Each structure stands twice: as structure tokens, then as C-alpha cells.
Amino acid sequence: MAGERLVKSRQRVADHGEVFTPRWLVDDMLDLVKSETERIDSRVLEPACGSGNFLVPVLERKLAAVQAKYGKSDFEKRHYALFGLMCIYGIELLADNAEECRENLAGTFTRYLNVSAESEWATAASAVLAVNIVQGDALKMTTSTQKPITFPEWGYLGLGKYQRRDFRYDSLTQRAAASEGLFAHFEEHEIFTPVHTYPAMTVKDIAAS
């Protein structure tokens, strides 16, 4: 893509090895797992998410799936669009990149729904991204404040209600290594219990959180 910025500065490349992936290569890589990236409920984690070079295209694919399946119902379209966003996760070492990633994902979401940045839907999306996109070290599995990384498992219950359960990232990676992926079949192993479970929430509840 003409004008696409792949490096912010030589110093950042030297200090952190920071080089962004061009969009054409992102699309080619996502096409290798096309069926997963186009599922609304598939959960995608980018452990070095930068400003969202991978996660934004994933969200775009999810939103296209939402449009194809629920585009005729404004209620369902909005709720499943938020659920698609809920299924996207990232870890980023640098604070400015993490914030830019949240902003890029939020912008993609609000443009799709055609809502303002001050709307309840945008506020709910920002609340989701605040916990789904974490500033931290994916190798150490800790946040920027040296606490264990925790991710929420979001579920859409239907009728405008969502469920949230929080799990420690280090436990999730152990489970993923032994089975199908993150958040898979926790009921089979009590060790993979949530660190916190929330009551069912509406968009209004999430926006107020």
C-alpha cells in the first residue's frame, strides 16, 4: 500500500526490533486461516500487536461476516459486531502502540456501526478494548506494572446480554498447548477456573464499567 508506514524510527527498531507488517502480507497470512478469521466468534490473540496491523484486518473480516449474517437486523448487527470485537486480543510492549491499536480498532468498529465516538456503543467498545488490548510483555506474561496478564472471555448470550469471565494468560497458554485453543473446555479442568466472573451485562452496563 502506497505511503504505508512500516517503521516509526530507527531508534525504535534498534531498541525493540519494531517493524510493522505491510497490509498485503497481513492479508496473505490471514488467508492461510481464512475460515477462522471470518468467524465472528473465533478468538484471535496477537502477542506483539503493535498498532493493530493484524488485528484491524481481522476485525474487518469479522464485521463483514456480521453484515452478511445479521445485516438486516440493526439490533443483531450491533450486538454481534461488538461480540466480534470482544473476540480480538492483543499484547503490546510499548504504550503508544497499545493505545494506537485500541484507537484503530475502535475507529473501525464505530465506522461500521456509523455511530459517534461519544455514543454508548463506542464507549462500550472502548471499555472492551481497555481490557482486551494489554500493554505488557507476552514472553513474561506480565503487564507493564509486572502483574500477571489477565484476559476476559466474553460470550454473547443473546437478547442483548453478554457474559464475562476473566482468566490468567499463563493458565490459558497451558490449556492451549494441551487442547484446542484459548478458553477451550475449561469445565474439564478445574485448574483453569476464572479469576473473576461477572453478572450478565448489557451494552449499557459495559459502557458504564
Side-chain angles (χ1 to χ4, degrees):
M1 182 182 297
E4 192 173 9
R5 183 177 62 166
L6 303 181
V7 171
K8 286 189 174 181
S9 74
R10 291 182 179 180
Q11 191 61 52
R12 289 168 71 107
V13 175
D15 291 345
H16 306 290
E18 180 188 71
V19 178
F20 298 106
T21 309
R23 179 59 186 255
W24 68 266
L25 183 54
V26 169
D27 287 334
D28 283 353
M29 294 174 71
L30 293 180
D31 282 343
L32 295 174
V33 286
K34 186 178 178 66
S35 61
E36 285 298 307
T37 60
E38 294 177 351
R39 267 180 47 216
I40 300 168
D41 62 345
S42 65
R43 293 184 171 89
V44 177
L45 167 65
E46 170 55 76
C49 64
S51 57
N53 288 42
F54 275 91
L55 296 184
V56 168
V58 169
L59 178 58
E60 291 172 350
R61 291 175 181 226
K62 287 178 175 290
L63 295 178
V66 169
Q67 185 63 33
K69 192 167 185 178
Y70 301 105
K72 294 182 179 180
S73 167
D74 192 59
F75 180 88
E76 297 286 26
K77 180 180 77 173
R78 291 184 174 216
H79 283 87
Y80 275 100
L82 183 60
F83 181 48
L85 181 69
M86 288 171 165
C87 293
I88 290 176
Y89 301 87
I91 303 171
E92 171 53 37
L93 188 64
L94 303 178
D96 61 334
N97 282 344
E99 184 56 34
E100 191 175 344
C101 182
R102 297 184 193 104
E103 291 173 357
N104 289 337
L105 288 166
T108 301
F109 175 80
T110 55
R111 283 191 297 274
Y112 171 70
L113 291 189
N114 194 26
V115 296
S116 72
E118 292 74 37
S119 70
E120 188 172 78
W121 287 94
T123 303
S126 294
V128 168
L129 291 169
V131 292
N132 278 32
I133 306 300
V134 175
Q135 184 197 350
D137 188 322
L139 295 178
K140 295 179 180 179
M141 302 187 189
T142 55
T143 68
S144 57
T145 57
Q146 306 307 309
K147 296 179 180 178
I149 290 175
T150 300
F151 281 123
E153 176 202 32
W154 299 95
Y156 183 47
L157 305 176
L159 301 177
K161 294 288 185 70
Y162 298 92
Q163 179 69 65
R164 173 181 170 180
R165 302 189 302 166
D166 291 353
F167 293 89
R168 280 181 50 153
Y169 178 50
D170 52 3
S171 292
L172 293 176
T173 55
Q174 293 176 43
R175 182 68 180 110
S179 84
E180 301 170 16
L182 298 182
F183 305 117
H185 303 307
F186 282 100
E187 67 276 9
E188 296 177 4
H189 299 269
E190 291 186 1
I191 188 173
F192 300 107
T193 55
V195 296
H196 191 78
T197 300
Y198 296 77
M201 295 180 282
T202 64
V203 171
K204 183 177 181 179
D205 296 330
I206 297 170
S209 64

